[in-house]
Amino acid sequence: MWPFARRNQVSPESETAKRAAEKSLKDAQAGMPEAQARLNESRRVTEQLKAHNRANAYSDFIGGHRPRPAQRRPFVRRDSMPYTLTLYVLLQIGLAASVGFLVLHRPRRFFRVTEINASWWVIIVGLLYARSLMLLGIRGARPGETWWDSAISIGFLTAIDVLLLVRFFSYLWYLREHPEKRS
């Protein structure tokens, strides 16, 4: 609503006013009359700054802005390299299995029910793996905040890879058992 931004650090204006107030206090303690006037002026400025800060806090409250928590350093895990390497390996294995199956199978009629059951899920997973590999290369991988988050993502990826490898090797076995089906 209002362009106020909460700042967790002290503004330069308040630092200048604070320094002026301290200087005036030292001069007033020395007993100079003009120092007393400056001390009163600096107290007035300090009170104005406090009132301004209260008004900002109130306008933020009215506008629905919550005060930001203290700035923390961003969470960076040091073990992101093994996680990234694991993702690369699993995605490449799955992509190789799906492309290998499609090269061996050579589907001709994509819209037959048997082809949909046999090939489409492999094609879809292969496309998702290719997309994921490209994004992993562009963005990199950021492991989850907790260990189980990473374990679940790697676990599901491993399970899908196992399904793709079973599909690939079962089709190789099928071709070995039925050499007349090769064309």
Coordinates of all heavy atoms in Angstrom, one line a residue, residues 16-46:
T16 N 23.6 10.5 12.0 CA 24.1 11.8 12.0 C 23.4 12.6 13.2 O 24.1 13.4 13.9 CB 23.7 12.5 10.7 OG1 24.3 11.8 9.6 CG2 24.3 13.9 10.6
A17 N 22.1 12.4 13.4 CA 21.4 13.1 14.4 C 22.0 12.6 15.8 O 22.1 13.4 16.7 CB 19.9 12.8 14.4
K18 N 22.3 11.3 15.9 CA 22.8 10.8 17.2 C 24.2 11.4 17.5 O 24.5 11.8 18.6 CB 22.9 9.3 17.1 CG 23.0 8.6 18.4 CD 23.1 7.1 18.3 CE 21.7 6.5 17.8 NZ 21.7 5.1 17.8
R19 N 25.0 11.5 16.4 CA 26.4 12.1 16.6 C 26.2 13.5 17.0 O 27.0 14.0 17.9 CB 27.2 11.9 15.3 CG 27.9 10.6 15.3 CD 28.9 10.6 14.1 NE 28.5 9.6 13.2 CZ 28.0 9.7 12.0 NH1 28.0 10.9 11.5 NH2 27.6 8.7 11.3
A20 N 25.3 14.2 16.4 CA 25.1 15.7 16.8 C 24.6 15.8 18.2 O 25.0 16.7 18.9 CB 24.1 16.3 15.8
A21 N 23.8 14.9 18.6 CA 23.3 14.9 20.0 C 24.4 14.6 21.0 O 24.5 15.3 22.0 CB 22.1 13.9 20.2
E22 N 25.2 13.7 20.7 CA 26.4 13.4 21.6 C 27.3 14.6 21.6 O 27.8 14.9 22.7 CB 27.1 12.1 21.1 CG 26.3 10.9 21.3 CD 26.9 9.7 20.6 OE1 28.0 9.9 19.8 OE2 26.4 8.6 20.7
K23 N 27.6 15.2 20.5 CA 28.5 16.4 20.5 C 27.8 17.5 21.3 O 28.5 18.2 22.1 CB 28.7 16.9 19.1 CG 29.7 18.0 19.0 CD 30.0 18.3 17.5 CE 31.0 19.4 17.4 NZ 30.5 20.7 17.8
S24 N 26.5 17.7 21.2 CA 25.9 18.8 21.9 C 25.9 18.5 23.4 O 26.0 19.4 24.2 CB 24.4 18.9 21.5 OG 24.4 19.3 20.1
L25 N 25.7 17.2 23.8 CA 25.8 16.8 25.2 C 27.2 17.1 25.8 O 27.3 17.6 26.9 CB 25.5 15.3 25.3 CG 25.5 14.8 26.7 CD1 24.5 15.5 27.6 CD2 25.3 13.3 26.7
K26 N 28.2 16.8 25.0 CA 29.6 17.1 25.5 C 29.7 18.6 25.7 O 30.3 19.1 26.7 CB 30.6 16.6 24.6 CG 30.8 15.1 24.6 CD 31.8 14.6 23.6 CE 31.8 13.1 23.5 NZ 32.7 12.6 22.5
D27 N 29.3 19.4 24.7 CA 29.4 20.8 24.8 C 28.5 21.4 26.0 O 28.9 22.3 26.7 CB 28.9 21.5 23.5 CG 29.9 21.3 22.4 OD1 31.1 20.9 22.7 OD2 29.5 21.5 21.2
A28 N 27.3 20.8 26.2 CA 26.5 21.3 27.3 C 27.1 20.9 28.6 O 27.0 21.7 29.6 CB 25.1 20.6 27.2
Q29 N 27.7 19.8 28.7 CA 28.4 19.4 30.0 C 29.6 20.4 30.2 O 29.9 20.6 31.4 CB 28.9 18.0 29.9 CG 27.7 17.0 30.0 CD 28.2 15.6 29.8 OE1 29.3 15.3 29.3 NE2 27.3 14.6 30.2
A30 N 30.1 21.0 29.2 CA 31.2 22.0 29.3 C 30.6 23.3 29.8 O 31.4 24.2 30.2 CB 32.0 22.1 28.0
G31 N 29.3 23.5 29.7 CA 28.6 24.7 30.2 C 28.5 25.8 29.2 O 28.3 27.0 29.6
M32 N 28.5 25.6 27.9 CA 28.4 26.6 26.9 C 26.9 26.8 26.7 O 26.1 25.9 26.5 CB 29.0 26.2 25.6 CG 30.5 26.1 25.7 SD 31.2 25.8 24.1 CE 32.2 24.3 24.4
P33 N 26.4 28.1 26.6 CA 25.0 28.4 26.4 C 24.5 28.0 25.0 O 23.4 27.5 24.8 CB 24.9 29.9 26.6 CG 26.2 30.5 26.6 CD 27.2 29.3 26.8
E34 N 25.3 28.2 23.9 CA 24.9 27.8 22.6 C 24.8 26.2 22.5 O 24.0 25.7 21.7 CB 25.7 28.4 21.5 CG 27.2 27.9 21.4 CD 28.1 28.6 22.3 OE1 27.7 29.7 22.9 OE2 29.2 28.2 22.5
A35 N 25.6 25.6 23.3 CA 25.6 24.1 23.3 C 24.3 23.6 23.9 O 23.7 22.6 23.5 CB 26.7 23.6 24.1
Q36 N 23.7 24.4 24.9 CA 22.4 24.0 25.5 C 21.3 24.1 24.4 O 20.5 23.2 24.3 CB 22.1 24.9 26.6 CG 20.9 24.5 27.4 CD 21.1 23.2 28.2 OE1 22.2 22.8 28.6 NE2 20.1 22.4 28.3
A37 N 21.4 25.1 23.6 CA 20.4 25.2 22.5 C 20.5 24.1 21.5 O 19.5 23.5 21.0 CB 20.5 26.6 21.8
R38 N 21.7 23.7 21.1 CA 21.9 22.6 20.2 C 21.5 21.3 20.8 O 21.0 20.4 20.1 CB 23.4 22.5 19.8 CG 23.8 23.5 18.7 CD 25.1 23.2 18.2 NE 26.1 23.4 19.3 CZ 27.4 23.6 19.2 NH1 27.9 23.7 18.0 NH2 28.1 23.7 20.3
L39 N 21.7 21.1 22.1 CA 21.3 19.9 22.8 C 19.8 19.8 22.8 O 19.2 18.7 22.5 CB 21.8 19.9 24.3 CG 21.4 18.7 25.1 CD1 21.9 17.4 24.6 CD2 21.8 18.9 26.5
N40 N 19.1 20.9 23.0 CA 17.6 20.9 22.9 C 17.2 20.6 21.5 O 16.2 19.8 21.3 CB 17.0 22.2 23.4 CG 17.2 22.4 24.9 OD1 17.4 21.5 25.6 ND2 17.2 23.7 25.3
E41 N 17.9 21.1 20.5 CA 17.5 20.8 19.1 C 17.7 19.4 18.8 O 16.9 18.7 18.1 CB 18.4 21.7 18.2 CG 18.1 21.5 16.7 CD 16.7 21.9 16.2 OE1 16.1 22.7 16.9 OE2 16.3 21.4 15.2
S42 N 18.8 18.8 19.2 CA 19.1 17.4 18.9 C 18.1 16.5 19.6 O 17.7 15.4 19.1 CB 20.5 17.0 19.3 OG 20.7 17.1 20.7
R43 N 17.7 16.8 20.8 CA 16.7 16.1 21.5 C 15.3 16.1 20.7 O 14.6 15.1 20.6 CB 16.4 16.6 22.9 CG 17.5 16.2 23.9 CD 17.3 16.7 25.3 NE 18.4 16.3 26.1 CZ 18.8 16.9 27.2 NH1 18.1 18.0 27.6 NH2 19.8 16.5 27.9
R44 N 15.0 17.3 20.2 CA 13.8 17.4 19.4 C 13.9 16.6 18.2 O 12.9 15.9 17.8 CB 13.6 18.9 19.1 CG 12.3 19.2 18.4 CD 12.2 20.7 18.0 NE 13.2 21.1 17.0 CZ 13.1 20.8 15.7 NH1 12.1 20.1 15.2 NH2 14.1 21.2 14.9
V45 N 15.1 16.6 17.5 CA 15.2 15.8 16.3 C 15.1 14.3 16.6 O 14.5 13.5 15.9 CB 16.6 16.1 15.6 CG1 17.0 15.1 14.5 CG2 16.6 17.5 15.0
T46 N 15.7 13.9 17.7 CA 15.7 12.5 18.2 C 14.2 12.1 18.4 O 13.8 11.0 18.0 CB 16.5 12.2 19.4 OG1 17.8 12.7 19.2 CG2 16.5 10.8 19.8

